[in-house]
Amino acid sequence: EVQLLESGGALAQPGGSLRLSCAASGFRFSTNVMHWVRQAQGKGLEWVSSISDTGLSRYYVDSVKGRFTVSRDNSKNTLYLQMDSLRAEDTAVYYCAKDRVPVVPGTGTFDNWGQGTVVTVSS
Amino acid sequence: EIVMTQSPATLSVSPGERATLSCRASQSIGSKLAWYQQKRGQAPRLLIFGASTRATGVPARFSGSGSGTEFTLTISSLRSEDFAVYYCQQYNNWPPITFGQGTRLDIK
């Protein structure tokens, strides 16, 4: 059974930093493109970032470029999102998600999701 | 960026009836369209990809159609567990990947 477990969400001050983690199990993590998707309270879904199986290719939504960094450790089956220069508009539930097919560059569809971790940016 | 527009924002339907949800892309995306269901307090669930292919375990009462810029999700006979928010998502030439704003399906 595929399991994705996010952690690291917390209350952070504007301009601060957080590092989210997503521990994966139940599938061959090292061969899958992985994604981060966020959802502000009461709002819709927003794709944030994606990373290729090797970590060599990384993609971001424009609003987080230069502030967020996605990475992965295939030896630990873990996905990360380093969030710097946080803004109030980054407040959301952050989900990690697995790409549907283990191909590069990925399909861009998400067949398994974690339960999410809450990030709140406020002074 | 491809903008996805869903309609209606809210749809009220009685159990056992058919629900039809619409999604429009600001430019052609071929069949690179997925649908997700999200229940309150839960993560989204993939229902449909490739505009019309049901994901593993998705009941046959869910069907998707369309191509280009116009897409439809149909739920043929609503059950109580189907009342949720539904999102369409395009993945044509990503990044970026973009979602519609969602359609809330309520019990009438």
Side-chain angles (χ1 to χ4, degrees):
Chain A
E1 178 193 4
V2 173
Q3 290 196 336
L4 298 168
L5 184 61
E6 303 95 336
S7 61
L11 172 64
Q13 293 203 338
S17 298
L18 284 175
R19 188 196 198 200
L20 306 185
S21 300
C22 173
S25 61
F27 67 102
R28 197 170 176 182
F29 179 77
S30 61
T31 61
N32 270 88
V33 173
M34 296 294 295
H35 309 272
W36 289 98
V37 177
R38 68 184 178 184
Q39 184 172 37
Q41 187 169 0
K43 303 297 184 183
L45 301 168
E46 180 182 36
W47 169 77
V48 174
S49 181
S50 303
I51 185 169
S52 64
D53 56 343
T54 61
L56 292 179
S57 297
R58 311 179 190 197
Y59 310 99
Y60 303 93
V61 68
D62 284 349
S63 61
V64 309
K65 282 180 183 175
R67 301 188 299 121
F68 289 11
T69 303
V70 62
S71 63
R72 65 192 296 161
D73 186 336
N74 287 344
S75 68
K76 296 181 178 179
N77 289 349
T78 302
L79 174 71
Y80 302 101
L81 186 67
Q82 177 67 39
M83 310 166 67
D84 298 319
S85 302
L86 283 163
R87 304 169 181 168
E89 54 264 36
D90 296 320
T91 296
V93 176
Y94 284 73
Y95 296 100
C96 71
K98 167 185 163 292
D99 200 275
R100 184 174 56 82
V101 181
V103 296
V104 177
T107 65
T109 54
F110 319 124
D111 68 344
N112 285 275
W113 299 63
Q115 86 292 344
T117 188
V118 179
V119 171
T120 303
V121 183
S122 175
S123 54
Chain B
E1 174 180 308
I2 299 174
V3 176
M4 306 301 292
T5 304
Q6 292 186 239
S7 61
T10 304
L11 182 63
S12 296
V13 183
S14 300
E17 293 189 342
R18 173 188 299 257
T20 302
L21 289 67
S22 297
C23 176
R24 173 177 292 179
S26 61
Q27 64 189 77
S28 179
I29 59 171
S31 296
K32 298 295 181 70
L33 190 283
W35 289 96
Y36 297 84
Q37 175 194 67
Q38 187 177 33
K39 298 180 180 179
R40 186 178 299 274
Q42 296 186 16
R45 171 196 180 195
L46 176 65
L47 295 177
I48 301 283
F49 61 90
S52 61
T53 303
R54 280 189 299 277
T56 302
V58 175
R61 64 180 182 275
F62 291 89
S63 63
S65 62
S67 65
T69 61
E70 301 285 342
F71 301 89
T72 300
L73 175 69
T74 302
I75 311 170
S76 60
S77 179
L78 280 163
R79 302 180 61 163
S80 57
E81 61 264 34
D82 299 334
F83 293 95
V85 179
Y86 292 83
Y87 294 94
C88 63
Q89 174 231 328
Q90 70 79 24
Y91 52 101
N92 186 53
N93 290 330
W94 69 277
I97 293 165
T98 51
F99 291 88
Q101 80 279 17
T103 290
R104 179 180 303 279
L105 182 56
D106 285 343
I107 299 176
K108 188 173 182 180

